[in-house]
Structure formats: C-alpha cells, structure tokens
Amino acid sequence: MRKYSIIVPIVMLVFFNILSIETLAMVNYPVDSMVFLESDSLYTKENSKTLYKEDEEVVQVFNSGNNTVLLTKSDIYLMSQIVYEESKGEPYEGKVAVASVILNRVTHPSFPKSVENVVKQKNAFSCVINGNITAKPDDSSTKAVMDAILGTDPTNNAVFFYNPKIATSKWMKDVPKTNIKSIGNHVFFDAKK
C-alpha cells in the first residue's frame, strides 16, 4: 500500500485552489525534491508557476516513495481510456492493476515522466495506435484509476503486464520475469535485470 495519509487533505486543498505549489513546501514537502508532472511537461521548482493553466488544472496528487506526481483531468481521462481498452472483461482488481502499472511507470527511472508520454510510448499499450486512443471509458475504469491514484496497487509496483493467451510480443513472452502476479487473464511483472 502506498503512503497517502497526507495526500487526501492536499488533494482537497489543491482541488479547491486553496493550496498553491509554493505552500506545499510548508507541509513537509520540500519543493526542491518534488517532481511535478503534467501531460507533456516536467515541472521543477524553477518553472512550477506555470503549473496551473486554466485548462490543465491539477486535480489529483499521487505519491509513491519519494515521488509526488500532480495529475490533471486529462491525465486521469487518458488513464481511464487505457484501463477501459486494456482490461475489458477483467475483474475490477485487474482494472486497478492496469492503472497502477501506468503510475508505476511514471515514477520508475526507466520510463517517461508523464502519464501522456508513458501511454504514448511506442508499443507500450496495444490500444494506442500512432499515439492515439479513441476509447470512451466507463465509470468502472475511471473509478479504478482513482483507486490506483489513492494508493491501491494489487501489482506490488509492477511495470509490465500482458495476457499470455493473446500476446503477440515475443519480448513480453520471453523476458525473464520477477514480481509476477496473475490477475484475471493478465500477468503483471517486472523484467529481471
């Protein structure tokens, strides 16, 4: 389970525009050590003042270890699209697991540092074609994303998943795996180093 005891109050404060990036430093989050993520951009202390664009306002905070990720409505919708497409017919836990993989990748040093770049990384998700996804997510997919953001991770921080019955990727089938967990038809794992 991810640590999020302080996150819920911060989420509410950020959501209602009561808490700004500058005041995050006053609640035991040193701004220098935070990574602010939004669809295309990596935010640092120096350029964090541009974080609150009117159409891309932060609505959720995700915390994993020493990483704090601020998520926009666009990020949450994009994640919901992926969850909907990648986990049709899977149990609810499998939907949360797919959302968790996206968040785990955003905070993992080997992957891009934004939801959009993780999702649109070449061959990352079979439902993304030429950087586009047109799915209309259902309520269950959006709820699964929110549960993952609030700290539920049934994968134990896995960064890969596949369905062994229908997978076409030779790498996915053959890579040595660790941290393996089966949920529904999917297998969640990390690649051995």
Side-chain angles (χ1 to χ4, degrees):
M1 194 71 125
R2 296 186 182 102
K3 297 176 189 173
Y4 60 92
S5 59
I6 190 104
I7 297 306
V8 174
I10 292 173
V11 168
M12 298 307 296
L13 294 171
V14 170
F15 183 76
F16 293 109
N17 292 323
I18 297 169
L19 181 66
S20 69
I21 295 302
E22 291 78 17
T23 58
L24 280 174
M26 293 181 230
V27 286
N28 297 325
Y29 282 109
V31 175
D32 294 77
S33 67
M34 294 178 72
V35 176
F36 302 103
L37 300 173
E38 190 179 62
S39 297
D40 271 323
S41 306
L42 178 63
Y43 289 90
T44 61
K45 178 182 175 186
E46 291 74 38
N47 63 3
S48 63
K49 297 208 187 307
T50 61
L51 182 61
Y52 291 101
K53 293 187 266 183
E54 195 163 317
D55 60 336
E56 288 294 327
E57 186 173 306
V58 170
V59 295
Q60 286 294 333
V61 177
F62 170 71
N63 187 32
S64 176
N66 293 329
N67 297 311
T68 299
V69 180
L70 303 181
L71 300 164
T72 66
K73 289 178 185 177
S74 297
D75 293 328
I76 294 167
Y77 185 76
L78 184 58
M79 289 177 65
S80 299
Q81 288 179 293
I82 296 296
V83 168
Y84 177 77
E85 283 295 320
E86 294 285 345
S87 61
K88 287 181 190 170
E90 295 296 318
Y92 183 75
E93 181 184 29
K95 294 175 186 300
V96 176
V98 170
S100 295
V101 164
I102 296 169
L103 293 171
N104 293 341
R105 287 184 182 185
V106 170
T107 60
H108 192 279
S110 299
F111 290 91
K113 299 298 169 214
S114 72
V115 169
E116 182 176 20
N117 289 341
V118 161
V119 165
K120 294 183 177 181
Q121 190 175 28
K122 188 175 182 175
N123 300 320
F125 297 96
S126 60
C127 61
V128 178
I129 300 167
N130 296 325
N132 296 308
I133 182 169
T134 58
K136 303 281 187 239
D138 60 8
D139 291 341
S140 178
S141 299
T142 304
K143 183 178 181 321
V145 168
M146 296 309 296
D147 282 348
I149 291 168
L150 292 175
T152 303
D153 182 357
T155 75
N156 194 31
N157 295 312
V159 292
F160 297 105
F161 72 95
Y162 75 116
N163 181 334
K165 296 176 187 172
I166 62 171
T168 58
S169 168
K170 183 170 174 35
W171 179 88
M172 194 68 72
K173 292 177 183 179
D174 296 342
V175 67
K177 298 169 179 67
T178 185
N179 187 28
I180 301 168
K181 183 165 184 184
S182 293
I183 302 172
N185 294 309
H186 287 134
V187 175
F188 296 84
F189 68 95
D190 291 323
K192 281 187 181 176
K193 295 177 181 169

